[in-house]
Amino acid sequence: MQHIIDRFISYVTVDTESDSSSNTCPSTEKQWDLANKLVEELKQIGLEDVTIDENAYIMATLPSNVDHEVPTIGFIAHFDTSPDFSGANVKPQIVENYDGGDIVLNEELNVVLSPSYFKDLLQYKGQTIITTDGTTLLGADDKAGITEIVSAMEYLIQHPEIKHGKIRIGFTPDEEIGRGAHLFDVKKFGAEWAYTMDGSQIGELEYENFNAGYAKLTFNGKSVHPGYAKGKMVNSILLANKFISKLPKDEVPQKTTGYEGFFHVHTVTGSIEESVVELIIRDHNLKKYEKRKKLVAKLANKFNKKHAKKFGGPIVNCEIGDQYFNMREKVEPVMHIVDIAEEAMKQLDIKPLIKAIRGGTDGSQLSYMGLPCPNIFAGGHNFHGKYEYVPVESIVKATQVIVKIAELTAAKAK
């Protein structure tokens, strides 16, 4: 277990925060630091065909060790971390034999990871937990996934008695800003199906995710000296606020769960002359998703009809687009790939938690690119913030799931 801990810590202490404002791939130069380190490590453990392209996409091969034909499968994870919270100067803390009480992450700042608020912690009483120091995220999303894939490949190389077919692995940049699969070469990868190791708590197995879109609304105003503004000033900030108030008030992330969709206003910037509202639109049901997009467009049109004449033109410009779609449509025709993962977990005494992702993964985009790609737990909790943690035993179990899937795929192909 110490070997896995050391490997994980060696990854999370490398800053790989991505940047949505950048047009390059990877979006930040520092992602190359871990990418290059991974390439060398993959070669050292004995993988073949280790490549990294000009955009930092990494691929490698573990050759088959059986003489019968087995489908080529893949395992994929991303090495960037979220720009929502700092991933620089990560200082992991290791809590051995967790006693079920509060974990003081940072005494000076009074940052406490408590099971009274984060109830999932109690599942891991008696285990070894890796946390942050209360000032950064941890990076288990998705460096736990990378740790699991590398460790599983190393284990299979060291244990040739475990029979498996050809396995391809892939590590991607920029997943956290929605671009992780954009330049992924599915043909070069050459797998019939794959699994992203990018879920949360132990047992998660997911083949459904949100249909996802975005909207950007730019409200135009007119700035006039407030002492002489009557009948002249148009305050774009107030218009933006009024628009937000027209969205369904209970259809927001903090009031929805399961298959319930939402509108999420995540950025508002503004001045009298111009204000911008950015939101994301989510729903598992495609018809409901399309209806949500139409509602945003309809509200924008109403604003223009009401104010355009007085303003002398459109008072709001509305841009709406799609980000990714529910992978269920692409995975259901090949449900045996989910069944294999479920059987692997059961053989390892892990209770499968088959549920829909309230988000998306590289796997959703890859599925629509011709690579069906369900998602498997990586073990972490409370991603994208200072309360992030991961039980080491969950990383070990996820590693074992990868090995078992490889073994089952070869056995079922006989």
Side-chain angles (χ1 to χ4, degrees):
M1 194 160 75
Q2 188 59 48
H3 183 51
I4 280 181
I5 293 173
D6 293 343
R7 172 170 280 145
F8 176 71
I9 289 176
S10 76
Y11 298 160
V12 299
T13 50
V14 180
D15 181 12
T16 57
E17 187 176 318
S18 48
D19 179 7
S20 61
S21 68
S22 169
N23 293 321
T24 63
C25 183
S27 62
T28 52
E29 278 294 315
K30 55 191 173 184
Q31 290 184 63
W32 283 104
D33 295 338
L34 182 54
N36 289 326
K37 171 184 170 67
L38 288 169
V39 167
E40 292 308 310
E41 187 171 2
L42 296 179
K43 291 176 180 177
Q44 287 171 8
I45 68 171
L47 291 180
E48 299 182 5
D49 303 323
V50 180
T51 63
I52 182 168
D53 67 14
E54 66 274 15
N55 299 116
Y57 284 77
I58 300 167
M59 295 182 185
T61 301
L62 178 62
S64 172
N65 65 357
V66 296
D67 56 10
H68 63 276
E69 190 172 335
V70 179
T72 299
I73 63 173
F75 295 93
I76 297 169
H78 65 90
F79 50 77
D80 68 312
T81 59
S82 172
D84 294 342
F85 207 85
S86 175
N89 301 311
V90 173
K91 298 179 178 66
Q93 301 185 116
I94 299 174
V95 180
E96 296 181 346
N97 194 23
Y98 171 57
D99 62 7
D102 289 353
I103 300 173
V104 178
L105 301 179
N106 193 302
E107 187 173 4
E108 182 181 351
L109 298 175
N110 192 30
V111 181
V112 179
L113 179 62
S114 174
S116 65
Y117 192 87
F118 299 107
K119 294 180 172 35
D120 286 338
L121 264 171
L122 295 175
Q123 297 179 62
Y124 307 110
K125 189 174 179 180
Q127 297 189 21
T128 298
I129 295 175
I130 303 178
T131 73
T132 74
D133 71 345
T135 64
T136 69
L137 51 68
L138 179 61
D141 179 14
D142 188 26
K143 293 168 184 175
I146 295 175
T147 301
E148 292 148 9
I149 293 170
V150 175
S151 298
M153 296 305 104
E154 184 177 48
Y155 187 85
L156 287 170
I157 290 169
Q158 293 173 351
H159 293 81
E161 71 276 9
I162 299 174
K163 301 306 176 184
H164 58 82
K166 181 179 178 181
I167 300 171
R168 291 282 278 162
I169 67 169
F171 298 141
T172 71
D174 292 338
E175 188 271 353
E176 294 292 0
I177 56 174
R179 305 179 199 165
H182 284 192
L183 298 176
F184 190 94
D185 191 335
V186 169
K187 185 177 180 181
K188 176 184 174 183
F189 195 60
E192 290 192 30
W193 72 84
Y195 302 91
T196 48
M197 303 299 298
D198 196 16
S200 183
Q201 76 178 82
I202 187 168
E204 282 189 2
L205 173 56
E206 301 145 328
Y207 66 93
E208 300 178 74
N209 61 278
F210 277 136
N211 294 293
Y214 69 90
K216 180 179 180 180
L217 298 112
T218 304
F219 295 85
N220 302 304
K222 290 184 178 179
S223 182
V224 180
H225 188 290
Y228 305 91
K230 185 174 176 62
K232 300 173 184 175
M233 179 186 286
V234 178
N235 190 330
S236 74
I237 299 172
L238 298 181
L239 288 171
N241 182 60
K242 189 173 183 179
F243 176 88
I244 293 170
S245 73
K246 297 292 184 182
L247 294 170
K249 61 183 177 62
D250 292 326
E251 297 178 19
V252 292
Q254 61 270 37
K255 292 186 178 181
T256 54
T257 189
Y259 285 93
E260 296 170 336
F262 58 73
F263 301 92
H264 176 43
V265 177
H266 62 84
T267 304
V268 180
T269 57
S271 63
I272 303 299
E273 285 277 339
E274 181 181 279
S275 294
V276 178
V277 174
E278 295 182 67
L279 64 149
I280 59 174
I281 304 165
R282 300 289 188 264
D283 212 297
H284 287 94
N285 182 285
L286 185 58
K287 288 183 179 179
K288 290 181 179 179
Y289 167 66
E290 294 295 340
K291 188 176 179 180
R292 289 182 183 280
K293 290 193 296 180
K294 287 177 181 177
L295 175 60
V296 173
K298 182 179 179 181
L299 289 174
N301 288 335
K302 280 187 175 182
F303 266 70
N304 280 330
K305 285 181 180 179
K306 185 175 181 178
H307 300 285
K309 186 175 181 180
K310 179 181 178 181
F311 185 73
I315 205 162
V316 56
N317 297 309
C318 179
E319 176 188 341
I320 300 174
D322 298 313
Q323 294 170 310
Y324 52 82
F325 294 95
N326 192 341
M327 74 170 93
R328 177 174 180 168
E329 179 182 336
K330 301 298 181 182
V331 175
E332 277 193 329
V334 288
M335 273 298 288
H336 67 280
I337 71 178
V338 176
D339 296 338
I340 289 172
E342 183 178 7
E343 184 178 343
M345 290 185 193
K346 288 178 177 178
Q347 288 194 18
L348 295 166
D349 295 323
I350 299 168
K351 182 180 179 181
L353 302 174
I354 301 177
K355 62 186 185 67
I357 307 171
R358 287 182 61 78
T361 70
D362 279 347
S364 59
Q365 295 183 54
L366 292 169
S367 293
Y368 279 85
M369 293 164 66
L371 181 65
C373 202
N375 191 47
I376 293 173
F377 72 92
H381 289 261
N382 305 338
F383 296 147
H384 300 187
K386 59 190 174 187
Y387 297 105
E388 186 181 5
Y389 71 91
V390 61
V392 176
E393 286 82 353
S394 295
I395 297 178
V396 172
K397 282 292 188 182
T399 301
Q400 292 171 351
V401 168
I402 295 171
V403 171
K404 184 59 70 173
I405 286 173
E407 186 179 10
L408 285 173
T409 303
K412 290 177 181 295
K414 279 188 177 180

